[in-house]
Amino acid sequence: MSPAAAALVDLRSDTLSKPTAGMRAAMAAAEVGDDVYSEDPTVRALEERLAGLFGHAAALFTPTGSMANLLAVRALVGLGQEVLCSDSAHIARAELGAHAAYTGITMRTWAGALDQAAIERMFAPDMGPFFVPTRAISVENTHNFAGGAVLGLSELQRLRNFADANGVGIHLDGARIWNAHVATGTPLATYGAIADTMAVCLSKGLGAPVGSAVLGSSDVIAEARVWRKRMGGGMRQVGILAAAGLYALDHHMERLADDHANARLLAEACGVDPSTVDTNIVVVERADASPFVAAARAAGVRVATVGPTTVRLVTHLDITLADAQRAAALLAKIPD
Ligand SMILES: *Cc1c(COP(=O)(O)O)cnc(C)c1O
């Protein structure tokens, strides 16, 4: 059989993972109710579980991580105020301007994943009718477009101190906080403690088909519940989806370590130093990304272009060690 005829190994994103048989069984068996009435017991169980894991008072289930980010940042930043974030942050690049379009806030960005000195230079106190006041700082852990990089705990703590000293909030986009936790052993509650609000995704490496959550104080979450409904995100017997999230937390968290090992294997095959790969994302730089993507596709491996010179490979629970080994052997043959 030619490589192209073999099943494709699809490394474009960890969103591509499909619910397992065990997860589907848990979904089918879920107890449900009307969640707009707060009467879905499985959703409530998931929300309580997530809040508890991160040491936050409350959580709210959302259809997407983008909505979780939107509700969280909105809770910290008012109309005409700003959030500071990375120039490659999901909230700045991949949410299609939602924060400006729906909640009337502005963003200013620093270069790279986290730059404390830049943040301190950029911070704008409220000076009345002169400058846009900074109300929050948003960080992403792991940082998607920095190759799934884990942010250092001491840097996050320094940022927390700065935020406290200046009376601004911290939002943590923790779509892949599970990967940071598994890669470093840092307790989830330690990450939770540096953030006023958080967004977490169940539908990335954890493998749920749908579902994210916003976390914060009881007041923030009560307000987020109103805004979720306002934005058309009130859902009914959605315990079917929450059950997938609970199942993912029980069964798919520790195995993320396998994804990280598989990512290092792929990195090596593409000439990327595996010690620079913190989690499940490998960023490969080429003079031109397109021929690499096309050659990979022809060989039976799908990878994503995230910039004219940048290719991204992502491992997840549907990529076995054998898949990763096969993809690595094929990618290693593609000339630079
Ligand atoms: C995937 C992702 C999200 C949420 O994306 P949705 O597709 O809206 O669920 C948020 N932040 C980061 C860093 C992500 O990678």
Side-chain angles (χ1 to χ4, degrees), residues 13-15 63-69 88-91 94-95 140-145 173-176 199-201 203-204 211-212 281 312:
S13 177
D14 46 8
T15 58
T64 63
S66 295
M67 188 184 281
N69 278 333
S88 60
H90 197 275
I91 65 166
E95 295 175 10
E140 197 174 294
N141 197 14
T142 64
H143 197 87
N144 185 346
F145 293 122
D173 178 353
R176 295 188 182 82
V200 299
C201 288
S203 63
K204 297 272 169 81
S212 290
I281 300 176
R312 194 182 72 158

Side-chain angles (χ1 to χ4, degrees), residues 246-255:
L246 286 165
Y247 184 92
L249 293 172
D250 286 336
H251 299 280
H252 295 165
M253 189 150 14
E254 296 313 320
R255 63 151 306 286

Side-chain angles (χ1 to χ4, degrees), residues 171-299:
H171 173 62
L172 171 56
D173 178 353
R176 295 188 182 82
I177 195 70
W178 325 105
N179 297 86
H181 161 65
V182 168
T184 62
T186 304
L188 293 172
T190 302
Y191 287 129
I194 67 104
D196 297 286
T197 58
M198 285 186 70
V200 299
C201 288
L202 301 158
S203 63
K204 297 272 169 81
L206 288 186
V210 179
S212 290
V214 50
L215 279 61
S217 69
S218 306
D219 286 352
V220 160
I221 297 305
E223 218 191 325
R225 191 177 291 281
V226 172
W227 275 86
R228 183 186 66 175
K229 182 70 160 52
R230 182 168 286 139
M231 288 169 166
M235 301 177 286
R236 303 295 178 176
Q237 286 72 24
V238 75
I240 287 176
L241 298 179
L246 286 165
Y247 184 92
L249 293 172
D250 286 336
H251 299 280
H252 295 165
M253 189 150 14
E254 296 313 320
R255 63 151 306 286
L256 293 172
D258 301 341
D259 296 344
H260 302 169
N262 290 341
R264 287 191 290 269
L265 206 135
L266 290 163
E268 199 150 29
C270 299
V272 174
D273 178 355
S275 73
T276 64
V277 176
D278 289 349
T279 56
N280 69 326
I281 300 176
V282 182
V283 168
V284 180
E285 292 291 342
R286 289 288 184 270
D288 183 357
S290 321
F292 182 85
V293 174
R297 179 78 198 254

Side-chain angles (χ1 to χ4, degrees), residues 7-29:
L8 287 174
V9 180
D10 198 336
L11 302 171
R12 287 171 301 163
S13 177
D14 46 8
T15 58
L16 297 166
S17 60
K18 294 187 180 144
T20 61
M23 181 178 280
R24 284 171 180 266
M27 295 170 76

Side-chain angles (χ1 to χ4, degrees), residues 42-62:
T42 310
V43 172
R44 294 182 73 134
L46 175 65
E47 289 172 344
E48 277 166 29
R49 173 97 176 264
L50 288 170
L53 283 175
F54 291 95
H56 280 224
L60 183 74
F61 190 56
T62 58

